């Protein structure tokens, strides 16, 4: 397995171009199953989850051709299979996003249950309840969810809990349903709005995306479309934290500051010097960081996908900070690895108490999930000496060429094959 070798202490200087959002690109690719026509997607991040989605779509009979460094042509003229197999779903739980489009387009879908992951149990019961509300028969057995319906019928769906992929899956099912569907307590994430924009370009009738009530008027057929994926707000937040922690001058380009106001505000509260442009962000490190408590919330609150990176930042802040994780029940796996590097962290259920500023020293550490691996890279950038980060296949799932981007602005980082 590849590892990263990082020598800490370098000041970073220069520009980093932010890639497209993984969590917007995945549902957008799944949306190709809703039409026989071609989708042309641009600003795709070439990360492993995108490659896994291509393999999954191929399995289902779709053609997916990557073009240039960040585009793809996708066409599901015929759906050859209705099954998303365990071998693929176990590597990427977002595979569940083919369930809605397959069911809506063909009346049948069989998807392996994703099972739990490092950060939590992550059930899909709310997805299933939604499909049943739309009139589907759903059977869960032998590790698979099998959903069937002659034609889905619009319904009023109230989510007991806000779910991002649940909102996306039901939105993609409802666009071809008979009649009107209302999604209440829907997720507000920019990735949901981006998907609705794509679907409306394909001829769907969606209103209210980005609010907690989304209304969908079903249509009988959808057409092809071209769409450019929004920038990745979590990658943006990760580089802002890198700049703030390492006394650096970074300019992030091709990003959307408006999508991470909660993150920027919190980093400023902690002492980071951040200037926002229309599609750029400048972070100037060097000022003493100070502790600031944070609690993860659904959008527009502080993103749980930035919690691990924020913890790494708080190890370099003066004072005691309390980090409360409200979204996932087991998302502090990175804390023990940060402690191996010298951080002072105490975990108490869904709260982590971080005492700073700590002197971090290089160590061999192991990544447990995507964002945990990013927090270890950040800690390694400020640690004295050499850190090796193992199991970076987690990182490769969601960060495009992160070590190249960091090296280009002065980090001492290399991939050990
Ligand atoms: C999306 O996951 C993101 N993934 C996650 O990003 C992100 O952490 C999460 O939203 C929250 O923002 C993608 O978009 C591909 P949820 P998702 O359904 O949709 C519970 C990353 O690092 N729940 O909004 O799976 C669930 O267990 C990844 O890029 C149910 O109980 O998250 C969790 O506690 C990690 N039943 C909460 O709701 C359900 O049916 C929110 O989960 C669905 C969810």
């Amino acid at each position: 397995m590849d590892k990263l070798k990082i020598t800490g202490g370098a000041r970073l200087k220069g520009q980093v171009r932010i890639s497209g959002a993984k969590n917007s690109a995945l549902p957008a690719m799944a949306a190709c199953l809703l039409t026989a026509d071609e989708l042309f997607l641009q600003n795709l991040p070439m990360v492993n989850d995108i490659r896994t989605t291509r393999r999954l779509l191929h399995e289902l009979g779709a053609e997916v051709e990557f073009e240039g460094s960040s585009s793809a042509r996708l066409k599901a003229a015929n759906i050859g299979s209705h099954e998303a197999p365990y071998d693929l779903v176990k590597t990427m739980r977002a595979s569940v996003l083919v369930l809605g489009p397959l069911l809506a387009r063909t009346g049948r879908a069989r998807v392996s249950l994703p099972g739990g992951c490092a950060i939590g149990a992550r059930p899909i019961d709310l997805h299933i309840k939604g499909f049943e509300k739309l009139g589907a028969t759903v059977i869960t057995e032998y590790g698979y969810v099998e959903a069937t319906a002659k034609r889905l019928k619009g319904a009023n769906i109230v989510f007991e809990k806000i779910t991002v992929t649940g909102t996306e899956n039901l939105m993609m099912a409802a666009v071809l349903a008979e009649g009107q569907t209302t999604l209440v307590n829907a997720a507000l994430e920019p990735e949901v709005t981006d998907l609705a924009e794509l679907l409306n370009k394909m001829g769907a009738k969606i209103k209210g995306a980005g609010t907690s009530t989304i209304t969908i008027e079903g249509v009988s057929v959808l057409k092809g479309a071209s769409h450019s994926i929004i920038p990745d707000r979590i990658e943006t937040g990760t580089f802002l934290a890198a700049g703030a922690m390492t006394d650096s001058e970074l300019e992030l380009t091709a990003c959307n500051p408006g999508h991470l106001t909660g993150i920027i505000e919190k980093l400023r509260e902690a002492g980071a010097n951040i200037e926002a442009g229309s599609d750029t962000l400048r972070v100037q490190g060097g000022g003493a960081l100070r502790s600031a408590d944070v609690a993860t919330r659904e959008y527009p609150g502080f993103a749980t996908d930035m919690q691990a990176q924020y913890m790494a930042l708080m190890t370099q802040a003066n004072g005691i900070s309390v980090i409360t994780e409200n979204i996932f029940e087991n998302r502090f796996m990175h804390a023990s690895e940060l402690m191996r590097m010298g951080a002072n962290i105490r975990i108490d259920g869904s709260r982590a108490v971080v005492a700073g500023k700590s002197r971090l020293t290089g160590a061999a550490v192991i990544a447990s999930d995507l964002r945990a691996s990013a927090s270890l890279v950040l800690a390694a950038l400020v640690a004295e000496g050499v850190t090796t980060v193992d199991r970076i296949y987690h990182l490769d799932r969601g960060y495009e060429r992160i070590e190249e981007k960091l090296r280009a602005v002065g980090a001492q980082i290399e991939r050990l094959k």
Side-chain angles (χ1 to χ4, degrees), residues 22-23 26 93-94 97 119 121-127 161-166 168 189 304-305 327-329 331 370-371:
K22 166 186 77 83
N23 290 346
L26 300 180
R93 46 178 313 103
L97 284 165
I119 66 176
R122 304 184 71 180
I124 57 165
D125 56 318
L126 302 176
H127 300 230
K161 215 174 177 178
I162 294 175
T163 161
V164 176
T165 50
E168 293 165 344
E189 272 66 5
T304 173
D305 293 348
I327 307 295
F328 292 108
E329 64 274 22
R331 202 168 202 179
L370 170 58
R371 307 304 170 182

Side-chain angles (χ1 to χ4, degrees), residues 50-384:
I50 299 294
R51 296 186 186 93
T52 305
T53 304
R54 177 173 65 168
R55 279 213 313 278
L56 174 57
L57 293 172
H58 278 164
E59 288 260 337
L60 300 171
E63 291 157 38
V64 181
E65 297 310 324
F66 288 151
E67 220 171 79
S69 61
S70 63
S71 302
R73 292 186 185 281
L74 307 95
K75 191 166 183 171
N78 304 302
I79 306 267
S81 159
H82 298 81
E83 181 165 321
Y86 174 68
D87 285 346
L88 281 175
V89 176
K90 76 175 183 209
T91 64
M92 183 189 70
R93 46 178 313 103
S95 308
V96 72
L97 284 165
V98 301
L99 217 163
L102 274 178
L103 184 58
R105 170 103 180 271
T106 71
R108 193 170 148 227
R110 182 177 155 77
V111 173
S112 167
L113 271 171
C117 88
I119 66 176
R122 304 184 71 180
I124 57 165
D125 56 318
L126 302 176
H127 300 230
I128 292 171
K129 282 184 188 147
F131 294 129
E132 287 172 336
K133 272 262 170 157
L134 292 177
T137 305
V138 183
I139 299 167
T140 304
E141 58 181 6
Y142 305 111
Y144 278 76
V145 179
E146 178 124 14
T148 52
K150 278 209 179 55
R151 180 161 183 210
L152 297 172
K153 289 201 176 26
N156 189 45
I157 297 171
V158 182
F159 289 110
E160 293 152 40
K161 215 174 177 178
I162 294 175
T163 161
V164 176
T165 50
T167 301
E168 293 165 344
N169 229 342
L170 272 300
M171 200 157 66
M172 289 195 279
V175 288
L176 288 175
E178 203 178 312
Q180 186 175 76
T181 296
T182 309
L183 302 179
V184 179
N185 198 27
L188 312 181
E189 272 66 5
E191 295 76 25
V192 170
T193 311
D194 200 32
L195 176 63
E197 203 185 304
L198 165 62
L199 294 170
N200 280 343
K201 282 181 186 169
M202 295 167 69
K205 294 185 176 156
I206 303 171
K207 290 202 179 87
T211 76
S212 55
T213 303
I214 300 176
T215 310
I216 303 137
E217 197 61 49
V219 296
S220 53
V221 66
L222 291 173
K223 59 184 187 327
S226 294
H227 184 70
S228 184
I229 299 293
I230 57 172
D232 195 313
R233 62 195 165 96
I234 305 300
E235 184 194 21
T236 310
T238 304
F239 276 100
L240 287 177
M245 287 169 71
T246 56
D247 183 14
S248 297
E249 273 179 61
L250 286 180
E251 184 186 21
L252 311 182
T253 62
C255 60
N256 183 336
H259 285 167
L260 56 161
T261 41
I263 296 167
I264 293 170
E265 267 161 31
K266 187 51 70 177
L267 292 179
R268 283 182 175 146
E269 189 188 331
N273 178 353
I274 298 172
E275 272 168 48
S278 58
D279 63 353
T280 62
L281 280 161
R282 259 177 199 287
V283 54
Q284 174 96 44
L289 293 171
R290 47 184 183 268
S291 59
D293 297 351
V294 75
T296 63
R297 297 243 175 267
E298 296 88 357
Y299 191 85
F302 190 90
T304 173
D305 293 348
M306 269 300 293
Q307 179 258 98
Q309 300 92 313
Y310 188 76
M311 186 183 283
L313 182 105
M314 282 297 106
T315 68
Q316 298 308 294
N318 296 315
I320 306 284
S321 51
V322 178
I323 298 174
T324 307
E325 175 54 56
N326 291 310
I327 307 295
F328 292 108
E329 64 274 22
N330 185 35
R331 202 168 202 179
F332 287 143
M333 303 280 278
H334 40 283
S336 50
E337 295 302 294
L338 291 171
M339 286 190 249
R340 295 191 70 256
M341 298 176 73
N344 181 343
I345 304 169
R346 192 165 49 75
I347 303 296
D348 173 14
S350 64
R351 293 178 353 140
V353 181
V354 183
K357 169 176 182 164
S358 297
R359 170 176 164 262
L360 299 185
T361 50
V365 292
I366 300 178
S368 53
D369 61 79
L370 170 58
R371 307 304 170 182
S373 38
S375 85
L376 299 178
V377 169
L378 294 182
L381 290 174
V382 296
E384 286 167 30

